[in-house]
Amino acid sequence: AQSVTQLGSHVSVSEGALVLLRCNYSSSVPPYLFWYVQYPNQGLQLLLKYTSAATLVKGINGFEAEFKKSETSFHLTKPSAHMSDAAEYFCAVSEDTGGFKTIFGAGTRLFVKA
Amino acid sequence: ETGVTQSPTHLIKTRGQQVTLRCSSQSGHNTVSWYQQALGQGPQFIFQYYREEENGRGNFPPRFSGLQFPNYSSELNVNALELDDSALYLCASSLEPGIATNEKLFFGSGTQLSVL
């Protein structure tokens, strides 16, 4: 069975500071891993996706994530936070089984202070 | 703009009632997945439909059912509503089931259901 754990339900950073959102996964098969962002009253938007190609994945809005199999982690980073980054972020894992479903973590709310 | 629309945006029902939520997928997307997102939680997979047939189901009771139509629209039906069914319901469309290199889910903005 697959699962996702996001460490920290809330993270607060200052504008211009490094953003680090942590995600650990559990999967019995090589996983596909995702980060999604959700702004208030909106659906989820894909930030980036790992599909067993490069372990360092670059996404939209300056975000990137590194797949570390030995640590079963897929942490999301951004070198310099912007006020517009304030949102809810979800890490997710999926298997390409044909009966496709995505398992989401509980989410991390990012606050950006001026 | 994802091209996926959901209606209504908000809905209030009472316990025991039935509800139908609607989703219009991107044109050409044969797959639709439905998720329940409770307050403060991540989305939970309800089920997926591919070419008008159920293609996978999460841990939800049979009173949660769905339909997918040839015109890229779909419905989520919930019977005998319970208070715990209060949540944001999201639909997401994609071209095909499974993950291809360039595949991803396109989410709608959701329907906020409140059960009183």
Side-chain angles (χ1 to χ4, degrees):
Chain A
Q2 296 175 300
S3 66
V4 173
T5 302
Q6 291 185 241
L7 301 176
S9 59
H10 297 84
V11 170
S12 182
V13 300
S14 298
E15 192 173 21
L18 171 72
V19 176
L20 171 61
L21 305 182
R22 300 177 187 274
C23 172
N24 288 88
Y25 70 91
S26 173
S27 177
S28 58
V29 299
Y32 295 91
L33 294 161
F34 309 80
W35 276 99
Y36 284 86
V37 61
Q38 186 177 35
Y39 296 100
N41 302 316
Q42 294 188 26
L44 280 70
Q45 180 184 4
L46 181 67
L47 280 177
L48 49 80
K49 176 170 75 172
Y50 167 75
T51 57
S52 73
T55 56
L56 182 62
V57 182
K58 295 187 182 298
I60 62 172
N61 302 338
F63 285 94
E64 63 182 35
E66 186 173 9
F67 171 69
K68 291 186 177 181
K69 184 178 179 180
S70 61
E71 299 177 8
T72 61
S73 69
F74 191 57
H75 301 331
L76 181 70
T77 61
K78 181 175 181 178
S80 177
H82 191 272
M83 297 296 288
S84 61
D85 294 328
E88 187 91 22
Y89 291 81
F90 294 95
C91 181
V93 62
S94 183
E95 296 179 8
D96 186 6
T97 64
F100 161 70
K101 64 178 183 179
T102 300
I103 307 298
F104 288 85
T108 298
R109 171 78 61 181
L110 176 65
F111 297 92
V112 182
K113 300 175 291 186
Chain B
E1 186 65 42
T2 65
V4 179
T5 58
Q6 293 186 242
S7 63
T9 54
H10 296 81
L11 198 54
I12 300 174
K13 291 286 189 178
T14 57
R15 193 171 48 183
Q17 285 188 312
Q18 179 267 342
V19 69
T20 298
L21 309 182
R22 293 178 172 84
C23 173
S24 178
S25 300
Q26 278 200 16
S27 180
H29 281 193
N30 295 310
T31 308
V32 64
S33 302
W34 285 89
Y35 293 85
Q36 181 195 67
Q37 186 179 12
L39 188 64
Q41 300 294 319
Q44 289 196 13
F45 176 76
I46 303 174
F47 46 55
Q48 180 188 77
Y49 277 77
Y50 173 62
R51 296 186 184 272
E52 302 165 46
E53 292 193 5
E54 188 176 293
N55 188 48
R57 190 177 185 91
N59 190 27
F60 280 81
R63 61 188 183 85
F64 285 78
S65 63
L67 286 171
Q68 186 185 25
F69 304 102
N71 65 350
Y72 307 112
S73 67
S74 59
E75 293 180 352
L76 164 64
N77 299 288
V78 187
N79 294 322
L81 282 167
E82 300 177 1
L83 298 180
D84 287 347
D85 295 334
S86 296
L88 179 68
Y89 289 84
L90 297 165
C91 76
S93 73
S94 58
L95 282 168
E96 300 288 333
I99 300 290
T101 303
N102 296 316
E103 186 61 274
K104 66 177 185 179
L105 296 173
F106 293 82
F107 281 86
S109 297
T111 294
Q112 184 66 53
L113 173 65
S114 298
V115 182
L116 306 178

